[in-house]
Each structure stands twice: as C-alpha cells, then as structure tokens.
Amino acid sequence: MNHGLPLSSPPVPLVDQRPRRLLERLPLLTDRPIAAYMLAVGLSVGACVLRMASDHLLPPGFPYLTFFPAVIICAFVLGRGPGTLAAVLCGLMAWYFFIPPINSFALGVDTAVALLFYAGVVTVDIMLVDWMQTANHRLRDERERNADLALRSTQLAERTEILFGELQHRVSNNLQMIGAVLSLQKRGVTDPAAIQALDNAATRLTLIGRIQRQLYDTSGSQIALHQFLRDLAADVIEAGGKPGIAHSVSAPEGITLPPDALIPLALILAEAIANAIEHGFATRDDGRIAIDLVEVAGHLHLSVVDDGAGLPPAFDLRTSISLGSKIATTLARQLGGSFEVLNADPVGAMSILVIPHHDQRAPTR
C-alpha cells in the first residue's frame, strides 16, 4: 500500500507569499490603539507641514493635496479608527490654514462646498480601505481553515490506511494461525481420511490468509486481474514445495474484478494449481504449468494446463469425491459460471473456469 498521501497542493513560492503576508497583517498596531492614534496625529501634522512647505510651489487652490494621501495611508496602515481621526484633523488643518479666509474657521458657501467635497472623498476612501481589509482577512481565515482541513484530511487518510493495513494483517495472520492449529490437530488423528481433510482445510485457510492482503485497497479501487493472477500463481506454486516446477501466466491488462468475485476465483485457481502439483507431478519434481486468461463474448476463460501425468481413466468431475473439486465446482456456480477438468493434448490435464464478466476496465494499482 502507498502510505504517502499527498493531498495538498504545492506550497506557494516565498517571493509570492511575502506581499500577501504583509497585507494580511494590516492594519498595524491593533493591539496598541494609543500608539496607532498618536501615529495618525503625527502623519496628519506631517502632511500639514509638507503642504505648508510646498505652498509656494503650488498654484492657488489644492488645499487637500497632501492631506488625502495622509488619510489614505493612515486608514490603510493603521485602520479605520486612526484613519477617521486623521481625516478629521487633516480637514480642520486644511480649513484653517489653506481655505480662504486663511487662519480662520470662517464658513461660507464656497468653504462648505469644499469641506463637503473633502468629507465625501475621505469617507469613500476610508470605507473602501476598510472593506478591502475586511475581505482580505476573511480570505486569510478561509485559507487557514482550508489548510487546517487539508491537514486533518491527510492525517485521517494516513491513519485510516494504517488501521486498514493493520486489520488486513491481523485477519491474514488469524487465518494462517487457524490453519496452523488444524495442522497441529492432525497429530492426534489416526484416520487417513480425517488427516487428509485436516490437511486440505489447513492448506486452504493458509492460502486465504496469504491472498487476503491483496484483495482490498483503502481507495476502494478494484484490483488488476493480470497482476493478481501472477502473484497468486507464484505464491501457490512456491507453497507446493517443488521448486523445479516452472509456470507462466498470460492475461490481458486492464481487466478487474471486485473482491467478492476475486476470492472464489482465487480459491478455484489455487485448487487447480494444487491438483496439478499433487496429482500431475506426484512422481516428478519438475514440470510446467501454464495459466491463461482470455475474455470472450462477455465471459472470462481461465485455464490451468500442466504437462503432468494427466487424469486417471474414467475420471468424471461430477462424480468425484474430492472435496477440492466439489468446492471449485460450487464456487464456479456461485459466480454464475462453470468449472471442468479435462485431459490436455498431448499430455497432462487442463482445468477450465468460465465466468460471466461485464467489461469495467479501470485504472490498475
């Protein structure tokens, strides 16, 4: 199983993060309001000094030339409250020092219009800056929530996969342990038929334990049949204890089966391979087993062919007393298919499983 679960997108480069992080910290000094308001007063006074220093360079009018930037800077850097204070102070200083009659708070029609214009402009500026910062903070909070959710999802997925793998491991171990217990139990049995039955049961439980880990995936994806057949065939032949037996597996890629169909198919295939080893190569330590899977007219044809001794005379699967053959036949019927064993040409035996299959090709793992 793949324990690496990259669920989050690549990090944003540092050069792109710095301006964003600076904007997200605005307004500044929110935890020190007195300092923020004092700084707003200082910027307002500085704007007034700058306007006085540049008065001789400017044509008549333009009383708010340096005060508008001061208000915007205060609102942007220090927030709505200090920006509002700066707007009031700048308006009063512009009214007193730069709107005729100079050095007075005389209010005429022209002065009232100029002050209303100023008030309207700075109000809009402060509101726009405040709305922008509020939206920026909401985006930051949403991004932090998304990052937290992504981290939690990653941790949950990793924990789920670890627990799933542990569950599969324990189920497999328990099945193999039961098989081992059955093998030990036969030591106190003298009846040959009972010994054989215990051997068969132990072998099948051990086999199911081996293939259990391969049958399920935490993502829920179906298993590629060609790889599953290769792994299972190698496992069963290795367990047969005859390293001289070679095998080959031919299967098209892309065919998948759900786990509830793979388990009986695996048991049937294991039974066919075990029969070939036990009976076909009973007097030999070498040989060859060929496993082929083809898809024909909505059905899967799985054949297991060996070059061993072949079937005994008058062999009939329907009347066979072999428990393994009966299990294979029953499982094939449960899958809606059929299972038969024939003599191969020119030598050996051939087991054939045919089951219906709806083409649901999916990405393999």
Side-chain angles (χ1 to χ4, degrees):
M1 292 184 179
N2 179 17
H3 291 285
L5 296 173
L7 299 181
S8 60
S9 57
V12 179
L14 184 60
V15 67
D16 294 332
Q17 288 182 347
R18 287 176 179 173
R20 186 182 68 188
R21 291 174 179 173
L22 177 61
L23 292 176
E24 289 174 352
R25 288 199 298 267
L26 297 178
L28 303 177
L29 301 178
T30 54
D31 56 338
R32 298 168 60 189
I34 296 178
Y37 282 99
M38 291 180 63
L39 184 57
V41 172
L43 287 173
S44 301
V45 173
C48 183
V49 172
L50 181 61
R51 178 66 180 82
M52 289 179 176
S54 60
D55 187 56
H56 67 284
L57 301 176
L58 300 174
F62 304 101
Y64 309 117
L65 186 64
T66 59
F67 294 112
F68 280 139
V71 173
I72 294 174
I73 291 174
C74 285
F76 190 76
V77 176
L78 301 175
R80 179 177 57 190
T84 302
L85 176 62
V88 173
L89 293 177
C90 289
L92 291 174
M93 286 186 288
W95 183 8
Y96 186 81
F97 291 111
F98 302 106
I99 297 177
I102 303 300
N103 298 329
S104 74
F105 288 111
L107 184 63
V109 175
D110 292 340
T111 302
V113 172
L115 290 175
L116 287 174
F117 170 77
Y118 170 81
V121 171
V122 295
T123 299
V124 171
D125 288 342
I126 293 173
M127 290 177 62
L128 288 176
V129 170
D130 183 63
W131 288 343
M132 181 191 69
Q133 290 183 341
T134 300
N136 194 35
H137 292 166
R138 289 176 179 173
L139 289 175
R140 178 196 61 194
D141 295 341
E142 185 67 25
R143 185 173 61 252
E144 290 176 353
R145 282 195 295 269
N146 290 339
D148 184 62
L149 287 175
L151 178 60
R152 290 174 181 271
S153 298
T154 300
Q155 294 173 341
L156 179 61
E158 291 175 348
R159 190 178 300 112
T160 299
E161 187 164 359
I162 292 173
L163 291 175
F164 186 87
E166 181 64 20
L167 175 62
Q168 292 292 89
H169 179 74
R170 289 181 181 274
V171 170
S172 176
N173 283 351
N174 288 341
L175 289 172
Q176 294 185 13
M177 184 178 296
I178 295 173
V181 170
L182 291 177
S183 296
L184 292 174
Q185 188 66 32
K186 72 177 182 180
R187 296 180 180 179
V189 178
T190 57
D191 184 6
I195 292 176
Q196 184 63 40
L198 289 174
D199 276 338
N200 292 338
T203 300
R204 290 182 178 89
L205 283 172
T206 303
L207 173 64
I208 295 174
R210 287 197 191 102
I211 67 177
Q212 177 70 22
R213 304 170 197 245
Q214 307 175 39
L215 293 179
Y216 298 92
D217 191 292
T218 53
S219 66
S221 60
Q222 295 183 349
I223 300 170
L225 195 53
H226 71 285
Q227 187 60 49
F228 178 78
L229 294 178
R230 291 191 179 100
D231 295 341
L232 178 61
D235 197 13
V236 175
I237 291 176
E238 179 182 0
K242 293 189 176 183
I245 297 177
H247 75 282
S248 63
V249 178
S250 174
E253 297 186 3
I255 297 179
T256 60
L257 282 178
D260 57 351
L262 271 179
I263 293 177
L265 183 143
L267 293 175
I268 295 172
L269 176 61
E271 182 64 29
I273 296 174
N275 282 338
I277 296 174
E278 181 180 356
H279 301 294
F281 304 116
T283 59
R284 298 163 48 186
D285 291 330
D286 61 347
R288 183 168 187 81
I289 297 176
I291 302 166
D292 292 287
L293 177 72
V294 295
E295 188 174 12
V296 180
H299 287 75
L300 293 180
H301 293 244
L302 178 65
S303 63
V304 179
V305 183
D306 66 75
D307 60 354
L311 300 176
F315 175 82
D316 189 345
L317 183 63
R318 292 171 297 181
T319 60
S320 174
I321 61 173
S322 168
L323 178 61
S325 298
K326 291 180 179 179
I327 291 176
T329 303
T330 302
L331 292 175
R333 289 174 182 166
Q334 290 178 0
L335 293 174
S338 63
F339 177 74
E340 58 181 337
V341 182
L342 309 170
N343 275 312
D345 186 19
V347 294
M350 176 171 55
S351 299
I352 302 175
L353 170 67
V354 179
I355 58 173
H357 176 251
H358 301 289
D359 191 5
Q360 297 178 342
R361 295 177 183 267
T364 59
R365 68 171 176 87

